[in-house]
Amino acid sequence: MSPSLRPTLLLPLLLALVTCATGCAPALIPGTNVRDTEVNREVLQTVQRYRKAMEDRDADALRALVSQRYFENASSTGDASDDWGFPDLETVLADVKGHVKTCIYDIKVTDIIIDGSKAEVDYEYTWNFQYTDGQQDSWARKSDSNRLSLLRESDQWKIVAGM
């Protein structure tokens, strides 16, 4: 084969490889790195309802999203004094409602892992909030990553940990 024919043959081969590589890649939900499946979309809708309920400081909406199996250890496995579960939800919601005046809560989902009726949602968040401490109002900002754990109950995804 002469050197002058190689580019002519190489171009169609490269185009075929690129087409196959991009055509074989899984479809992603726009704005995420999450595979576009029906289950992942359902989980993302639950996460979006959680985000909106937090922003709106909507205790009823949060209560509706939380499983009665909810448990939170506040990332301190050695200290049970800050653990709380579903029975404590009303106290936690009242505390947030009483002290947080305004909330802007952005969530970027980085991964969803589905295992039957369980889902783990890894996300990064930025939380800007105005709160009252005594007589003074202040603004605070927190950015971090977190994992929200969900469980499928009665055809709905419910939060069991990670709020």
Side-chain angles (χ1 to χ4, degrees), residues 62-163:
L62 283 168
R63 196 176 301 107
L65 290 168
V66 175
S67 169
Q68 290 189 11
R69 299 178 186 185
Y70 189 89
F71 179 77
E72 187 66 50
N73 71 3
S75 299
S76 60
T77 56
D79 180 9
S81 67
D82 58 0
D83 295 357
W84 63 279
F86 188 80
D88 308 301
L89 184 63
E90 294 305 318
T91 303
V92 171
L93 293 175
D95 191 41
V96 169
K97 185 87 170 175
H99 291 87
V100 176
K101 297 177 94 174
T102 305
C103 176
I104 302 166
Y105 193 45
D106 292 319
I107 292 178
K108 179 184 178 198
V109 173
T110 56
D111 196 14
I112 295 177
I113 302 161
I114 306 290
D115 183 13
S117 62
K118 297 177 183 177
E120 302 289 338
V121 181
D122 293 333
Y123 65 98
E124 298 170 352
Y125 68 92
T126 302
W127 188 27
N128 296 295
F129 55 99
Q130 182 183 28
Y131 65 96
T132 302
D133 187 9
Q135 297 292 328
Q136 185 174 357
D137 289 347
S138 300
W139 279 91
R141 175 184 173 105
K142 182 176 182 186
S143 294
D144 205 349
S145 57
N146 197 22
R147 173 172 278 181
L148 200 60
S149 299
L150 298 107
L151 184 64
R152 188 99 171 141
E153 296 177 351
S154 305
D155 291 330
Q156 295 180 4
W157 288 102
K158 296 284 190 161
I159 300 170
V160 292
M163 288 195 328

Side-chain angles (χ1 to χ4, degrees), residues 20-34:
C20 181
T22 58
C24 299
L28 301 178
I29 296 173
T32 73
N33 291 326
V34 175

